[in-house]
Amino acid sequence: MATVGVKHHQMFIDGQDVDSDQVFEIRHPATNELVVTMAKGTVEHADQAVESAKKAFESGVWANKPKEERAAIMREIGNRIALELEEFIEDEIICNGATVRQATGFHVGLASGHFLYFADQAEQYEFERDVPTVAYPTMSMNRVRREPIGVCAAIVPWNFPLVLGIWKIGPALAAGNSIVVKVDEKTPLSLLRLARLAHECGVPPGVFNLVSGEGKEVGARLASHPDVGKVGFTGSTAVGREIMKLASGTVKKVTLELGGKAPTIVLPDADLDITADGALFGCMLYSGQICESSTRILVHESIHDELVERMVKRASTIKLGDPADYDTDMGPVVSERQRDRIVDYMEKAKADGATVALGGNAATVEGFEGGWWIEPTIFTDVTNDMQIAREEIFGPVMVVIKYSTVKEAIAIANDSSYGLTAGVWSTDYEAAVEVGNQLQAGTIWINNWHQVDPALPFGGYKQSGAGRELGEGALDEYTEAKHMHVDLTTSLDRHIFDILLSTPAE
Ligand code: NAD
């Protein structure tokens, strides 16, 4: 049901556009203007998409395609993403407020390469492996096969919909599965473009479906649907727990990429120019709305004041403004709700005794008064028990904690229910690696941040997740392992059946 004068988008199920009699209104986070409407799916749409995915999987139209053909179609998709870069960037900016520089470098810039990595995996992954003939207890040949699971569901958040979607769609398709993607209601456009484009490149109807809808209805239905064999989820830890519960009914495989509260330890010998810029890059990129952002900066007391001074000076230059303008450094946060949530955290921090070294408030930007803005913010005098040091804020809010010994810093860093990423800044690489070895996180960045490579695993320790996306093991998460044992023993007396049947055969 379209709104007059605004472009309306439909879901994509079984190779067809599918509308709904309800809509989501999508508003530009920098202006609050209505930019498009999107069909709002229901539980019935989720069921329709799963049925279509199941039918496609069982027909073998994708699963039984030679892996070289699957890889070729996926390469075509990866190349088309690169060719349509501008359109994808526009989709992301108007929905989630990323700046054009961020969208070019991260939101969309990573997408083509990551998809192409999975296209290669479609061909290179070891789908079948023969184990050398085993002679004990009897002669046998053994084979390990990795087979597609069937219907997979991907439930994706709003912050990096295209890339985080590809981390699930890529391995699922490479392994021969069908997939149903549930987009976040605020950011459906880039994945919708990808679904259509995949279809144009030769992915058969029903193999890649996209639905929208409320998480607690449509997402929850996918997570509990008896015909879904695997759920790949990125989002908050609270919803991740819920997904685990819902998936347990039919013991689905689950991959969870959840929240974070990443610590970074600045050792006394760190290069302060690199660290000041790097720590701000790690914390404030995309207005801090990244699960792996470095939000807790642990600084040795000997360099604390100087580093804070440099970071405040550099962060004061961050220019808020039109996300589509190349001169803009930082865009808005995604919604009024997020803006208010961040402001609440900052007020709580002030009440708890943290010192505002910079910012600490909502902001207004001339010409963009309707948007949702937060000042780049640095809090000092923070202790690790304060709420701003324990909970994920998802805003451009840096928390600085002073430490005296490296042992103490490691203990503070690990004192968190999260463990997605962590980092170290130091000019002594060996010392930094030694500290990194003791940090409890799935990724450790030394003297940099936000470095995600499709060939390397990504995921969290503790309550930051379960399983890993990307890397060589990514397709393991979208396949079932089957061990096939073929016994080669030809005479009864060489078999081991006498363990049970001791009386010789007549
Ligand atoms: P969210 O958990 O609220 O929503 C994520 C997705 O789940 C959305 O599509 C939503 O509609 C759906 N959903 C909500 N309730 C559901 C339910 N009961 N059942 C099934 N689906 C449901 O998270 P968000 O606010 O969209 O995203 C921010 C969170 O995502 C942050 O906590 C952030 O750290 C996390 N995140 C993690 C990673 C990572 O890789 N670890 C990456 C990006 C974001």
Side-chain angles (χ1 to χ4, degrees), residues 199-211:
H199 204 65
E200 287 165 24
C201 294
V203 171
V207 172
F208 179 172
N209 308 277
L210 181 142
V211 293

Side-chain angles (χ1 to χ4, degrees), residues 493-506:
D493 57 358
R494 284 177 174 258
H495 264 290
I496 56 161
F497 306 152
D498 59 356
I499 293 174
L500 172 71
L501 303 164
S502 58
T503 315
E506 293 277 314

Side-chain angles (χ1 to χ4, degrees), residues 133-208:
T133 304
V134 180
Y136 181 82
T138 58
M139 190 70 98
S140 66
M141 188 200 82
N142 290 269
R143 176 171 290 172
V144 180
R145 277 166 63 79
R146 304 286 320 200
E147 298 181 348
I149 294 168
V151 178
C152 302
I155 302 176
V156 184
W158 50 264
N159 60 347
F160 289 85
L162 183 61
V163 169
L164 297 175
I166 286 172
W167 290 8
K168 298 157 186 61
I169 298 159
L173 294 186
N177 297 284
S178 297
I179 192 158
V180 178
V181 179
K182 199 313 253 155
V183 286
D184 187 278
E185 53 273 22
K186 296 180 277 307
T187 54
L189 298 189
S190 53
L191 282 171
L192 190 55
R193 185 180 297 280
L194 180 67
R196 295 218 173 90
L197 187 155
H199 204 65
E200 287 165 24
C201 294
V203 171
V207 172
F208 179 172

Side-chain angles (χ1 to χ4, degrees), residues 214-394:
E214 297 284 355
K216 56 185 180 312
E217 292 171 18
V218 175
R221 175 60 180 159
L222 292 175
S224 59
H225 198 296
D227 290 332
V228 171
K230 153 91 197 191
V231 185
F233 170 77
T234 300
S236 58
T237 296
V239 175
R241 281 190 203 104
E242 190 59 28
I243 301 266
M244 253 183 160
K245 275 190 224 153
L246 292 166
S248 71
T250 50
V251 196
K252 294 184 203 331
K253 276 140 203 66
V254 177
T255 313
L256 302 174
E257 303 287 356
L258 308 175
K261 191 71 196 174
T264 187
I265 298 178
V266 187
L267 295 179
D269 62 3
D271 178 314
L272 295 190
D273 285 332
I274 292 178
T275 306
D277 280 19
L280 291 169
F281 171 69
C283 178
M284 297 199 185
L285 184 73
Y286 187 37
S287 308
Q289 302 173 113
I290 313 180
C291 51
E292 42 78 337
S293 294
S294 66
T295 54
R296 289 185 295 149
I297 316 294
L298 280 51
V299 187
H300 189 262
E301 58 192 5
S302 64
I303 51 168
H304 175 275
D305 293 355
E306 193 181 343
L307 181 62
V308 169
E309 194 184 316
R310 288 183 195 218
M311 290 194 298
V312 167
K313 197 167 159 204
R314 293 292 283 145
S316 308
T317 68
I318 292 174
K319 192 176 150 211
L320 306 184
D322 182 358
D325 184 341
Y326 268 87
D327 284 341
T328 298
D329 298 320
M330 189 185 280
V333 296
V334 75
S335 63
E336 181 177 20
R337 186 170 152 257
Q338 276 301 111
R339 195 269 316 265
D340 292 349
R341 206 174 146 260
I342 298 164
V343 169
D344 284 350
Y345 272 116
M346 295 193 296
E347 291 309 315
K348 187 80 198 335
K350 293 172 196 169
D352 285 347
T355 302
V356 178
L358 182 73
N361 300 295
T364 46
V365 173
E366 204 184 324
F368 295 87
E369 288 78 6
W372 318 117
W373 305 93
I374 297 283
E375 294 172 345
T377 294
I378 300 178
F379 280 108
T380 55
D381 299 316
V382 175
T383 52
N384 203 42
D385 55 353
M386 289 182 188
Q387 199 176 1
I388 43 158
R390 304 212 71 80
E391 295 178 18
E392 190 172 45
I393 300 171
F394 241 50

Side-chain angles (χ1 to χ4, degrees), residues 17-130:
D17 289 335
V18 174
D19 211 353
S20 165
D21 53 7
Q22 297 176 62
V23 292
F24 284 123
E25 291 192 339
I26 295 170
R27 294 179 174 274
H28 197 311
T31 59
N32 199 26
E33 275 165 343
L34 180 63
V35 278
V36 293
T37 56
M38 173 76 199
K40 180 179 178 182
T42 60
V43 167
E44 288 70 35
H45 291 112
D47 287 352
Q48 192 186 335
V50 172
E51 196 185 326
S52 155
K54 187 180 176 197
K55 201 169 75 205
F57 181 73
E58 288 176 349
S59 75
V61 65
W62 182 251
N64 296 344
K65 212 179 250 316
K67 59 185 185 177
E68 295 75 17
E69 284 181 32
R70 279 208 303 267
I73 291 172
M74 289 184 69
R75 281 197 190 102
E76 173 82 13
I77 299 170
N79 291 332
R80 283 279 300 277
I81 296 172
L83 288 172
E84 295 181 25
L85 193 81
E86 296 294 334
E87 290 82 355
F88 277 109
I89 287 173
E90 171 76 5
D91 288 342
E92 295 275 279
I93 290 178
I94 63 172
C95 292
N96 63 21
T99 65
V100 63
R101 273 154 50 201
Q102 285 153 17
T104 310
F106 284 85
H107 286 77
V108 182
L110 298 178
S112 170
H114 286 205
F115 204 92
L116 289 170
Y117 172 77
F118 289 115
D120 287 345
Q121 287 291 301
E123 225 165 8
Q124 291 163 10
Y125 183 69
E126 200 170 46
F127 285 101
E128 209 165 81
R129 172 166 66 94
D130 283 334

